[in-house]
Amino acid sequence: EEVRTEDAGTYECEIRNFQHGADRGYVTLNVIVPARPPRIQGNIASPAGSTLTLTCTSAGGQPAPEITWTKGGQPIGPSPVSTTDSQVSSTLSLRLSKEDNLGRVTCKATQDGRTP
């Protein structure tokens, strides 16, 4: 049988032995549901001197993913994050220069150190 999100919780196991009595053990089950890969939206064709605004969204997932941004492979941010029941979004604003032409900006969504 597959594990479902509603299966999360604390479980108890009790062992009874006529010679030694009873003993109990507890375990907490955390169910991790992978989030969907992140999507970036925004106007990617912006002139130097303007502000580029990008939004990274990752839907689903339990626990909710954490979104991080990189520019040219280097971490940037932090940037504002909004969370709803079904998705996490992060908006990044960058003031562009000529050196940013053909630059690479990425966002990554991670859950407990894992990338979906």
Side-chain angles (χ1 to χ4, degrees), residues 40 52-56 66-81 90-96 100 103-108:
I40 297 178
L52 173 65
T53 301
L54 300 172
T55 301
C56 177
E66 179 180 317
I67 294 177
T68 54
W69 291 91
T70 60
K71 178 180 171 190
Q74 299 300 313
I76 52 176
S79 57
V81 174
S90 175
T91 301
L92 177 69
S93 294
L94 293 172
R95 183 87 170 152
L96 297 176
D100 292 319
R104 176 176 223 135
V105 175
T106 61
C107 74
K108 183 164 89 171

Side-chain angles (χ1 to χ4, degrees), residues 6 43 46 63 66 76 86 90 98 108 110 113:
E6 53 268 19
N43 184 8
S46 300
E66 179 180 317
I76 52 176
S86 61
S90 175
K98 291 187 294 185
K108 183 164 89 171
T110 56

Side-chain angles (χ1 to χ4, degrees), residues 2-23:
E2 290 192 18
V3 176
R4 301 179 316 250
T5 55
E6 53 268 19
D7 294 330
T10 302
Y11 290 83
E12 172 185 11
C13 177
E14 182 177 73
I15 298 172
R16 292 179 186 251
N17 181 306
F18 292 114
Q19 292 177 341
H20 302 292
D23 197 11

